[in-house]
Each structure stands twice: as C-alpha cells, then as structure tokens.
Amino acid sequence: MSDGIPFAGEPADSHEAIMRATFRALREYGYAGLSIQRIADEADLSKSTFYHHFDGKEDLLLSFQEFILTEFNRIFQIESTGDPEQDIKTFVSLILDDFPDCVETPTKNAVLGSYVEMRAQAVQNPDFREKFTETDELFARQLVQIIEDGIEQGVFADVDPDTVSRFMITILDGVILQSATRNDNPVAEVRDTIDEYIEETLILNT
C-alpha cells in the first residue's frame, strides 16, 4: 500500500505513468490546482514528454477519464466470479471506492473526490459532458448485462434490466457526490440499503 494509488503493478509506459501522476496530482491539488508542471513532476517526466502525448490539460483529463474507466473494467474482470449476485455487489463496491486486496488502496475518498471534481467540469464544458454521458452509458450497460445474466440463470427476478440499471446508477452517483462533499460519510448506511434493494427486488428467494 505504498503509493496509495488504486492501480496494480508498475506503469507499462510513459502514457500510463502520466495517467497515474494525474491521479496523484488531482488527489493532492484538486482540479483548480492541477497543472501540467505538477503532473510532469509527479510522473518524473519532462513537459516535452507530456506534450508528446497530449495537447493540453483538457486533452489529458479526457484521456484520464478513459483510463479510469479502463482500470475499473480491468479490476471488475479480475473480481468477477460469473455469479450474478456476487458480481452486482462487486460492481457496487468498486463504484463506491471499496477496492479489493488486488489493488493498492487510496486515501479515504480520494478516488470519489477526484471523480466529482472531474465531473463538475461537464457543467460548462461540452466535451466533458459528452465523455461523462458516454461513461454513464457504459456503466449502465455493464450493469444491465449482469442483471440479464442473473435473469437468464434464474438467480434474479424477471425485472426490466434497463430500469433497474438506471435506478441503481442514479443512486450510486448521488452517494458518490455526498460522500465526496460531506464531513460525514453516508456510504455505509446507503450501501446497506442498496444491499437490501438487491435482496428484496432482484434476488429470487427459493
């Protein structure tokens, strides 16, 4: 747990090193304090190397969003068991920053805080709005697939996967926002409620 970064192993190349450095810089300085120089310093790379990969800060952060999504999918695939009941709970845990032992754990709320700061840019920036719309759709489709698998296997009730997915994603987004912007942490309480919803609405009691 040396670096406090939710990524496994060493970066594969300078692009990935910059992505990880962006995470560290966001965690330490926030979006407003983020700069190319600080990211380059965190990555121990020159600014010329940075500009070899990216046109500027906005281009970097849009790429960073893709990187985080890829990392989420990588970790989920590692943790996925093929059991829809377990997989939907794993999906919720990863969204709420409850990382498994296979990755290094960040400081409390670091990932959620960075996510909220990034998402706030979508209010005024259409490129960020498009990227987060795309991200939400990808998460929703992934959740739909888990629910459809559960219905097909006879584990879940015959619900509308799209409706349940949209509902759960909306709840999770709300929890992320509150967790990152409040002094107390509502995750544990809301997580219990989400688990109850899964048990009472989705899982077939035989």
Side-chain angles (χ1 to χ4, degrees), residues 144 147-148 151 157-166 197 202:
V144 163
I147 296 168
E148 288 178 343
I151 294 171
D158 189 16
V159 297
D160 182 338
D162 288 303
T163 300
V164 173
S165 174
R166 296 287 181 190
Y197 173 80
L202 283 180

Side-chain angles (χ1 to χ4, degrees), residues 4-203:
I5 312 169
F7 313 121
E10 295 297 320
D13 50 31
S14 58
H15 180 276
E16 186 174 344
I18 291 170
M19 294 292 95
R20 295 188 184 198
T22 300
F23 175 85
R24 292 195 298 269
L26 275 170
R27 184 185 61 191
E28 183 171 354
Y29 303 110
Y31 182 85
L34 193 67
S35 68
I36 303 304
Q37 186 61 62
R38 281 175 167 165
I39 294 169
D41 290 344
E42 288 283 351
D44 196 23
L45 296 170
S46 67
K47 290 178 72 173
S48 61
T49 301
F50 173 91
Y51 283 111
H52 173 73
H53 292 284
F54 307 102
D55 295 332
K57 179 177 174 180
E58 181 176 317
D59 184 34
L60 164 77
L61 290 175
L62 290 170
S63 182
F64 179 70
Q65 177 68 5
E66 290 278 359
F67 175 73
I68 290 296
L69 184 60
T70 299
E71 284 296 298
F72 176 91
N73 287 329
R74 178 184 65 80
I75 296 168
F76 180 77
Q77 291 305 315
I78 292 172
E79 293 296 300
S80 177
T81 63
D83 174 6
E85 180 179 346
Q86 185 58 49
D87 283 351
I88 199 168
K89 291 178 179 180
T90 297
F91 182 92
V92 170
S93 292
L94 292 178
I95 290 285
L96 295 181
D97 198 8
D98 183 13
F99 291 103
D101 292 337
C102 66
V103 294
E104 300 194 18
T105 307
T107 55
K108 184 178 181 180
N109 287 340
V111 174
L112 301 188
S114 296
Y115 174 84
V116 169
E117 287 196 290
M118 287 273 293
R119 187 158 194 139
Q121 308 314 307
V123 175
Q124 299 292 336
N125 188 314
D127 290 334
F128 278 89
R129 183 181 293 268
E130 180 179 353
K131 182 59 65 179
F132 275 100
T133 299
E134 176 186 329
T135 299
D136 284 352
E137 290 295 331
L138 288 170
F139 278 141
R141 287 200 298 272
Q142 192 166 9
L143 198 48
V144 163
Q145 186 61 60
I146 297 171
I147 296 168
E148 288 178 343
D149 288 345
I151 294 171
E152 183 177 341
Q153 294 178 29
V155 177
F156 291 162
D158 189 16
V159 297
D160 182 338
D162 288 303
T163 300
V164 173
S165 174
R166 296 287 181 190
F167 173 75
M168 290 187 65
I169 292 295
T170 301
I171 295 297
L172 291 169
D173 276 343
V175 177
I176 289 170
L177 176 61
Q178 292 205 4
S179 179
T181 56
R182 286 170 49 163
N183 287 327
D184 58 344
N185 190 340
V187 168
E189 181 179 350
V190 177
R191 176 60 196 270
D192 288 343
T193 303
I194 292 172
D195 286 344
E196 288 176 11
Y197 173 80
I198 292 171
E199 295 285 343
E200 295 176 4
T201 303
L202 283 180
I203 298 175

